[in-house]
Amino acid sequence: MKNPRKPVKEGLDFVRDADWNPVVRTRQGALALGRKMRGAFEKRYGFVPVVCDCGAYFRISFGKPEPRR
């Protein structure tokens, strides 16, 4: 399976939809969801969403971008 669909976690819990079901995305979908979830603090200071494949799920965290050279 090339592009597996897995539940997405942010912090300690799964990201939930309106019916309280875990959101299931591919890796690219999880990255797009992280960009959408990024708050004002992360946008202001240049944090970027980082997606980690943790086996049974994808985890979204926010990391500082590498400095430009």
Side-chain angles (χ1 to χ4, degrees), residues 64-69:
K64 200 77 165 141
E66 292 183 19
R68 294 183 179 164
R69 295 179 186 184

Side-chain angles (χ1 to χ4, degrees), residues 6 8 10 16-17 19-20 26 39 41 51 53 57 66:
K6 300 179 186 180
V8 179
E10 194 268 324
R16 306 282 180 167
D17 63 6
D19 296 326
W20 203 246
T26 62
F41 176 82
V51 176
D53 187 354
Y57 56 89
E66 292 183 19

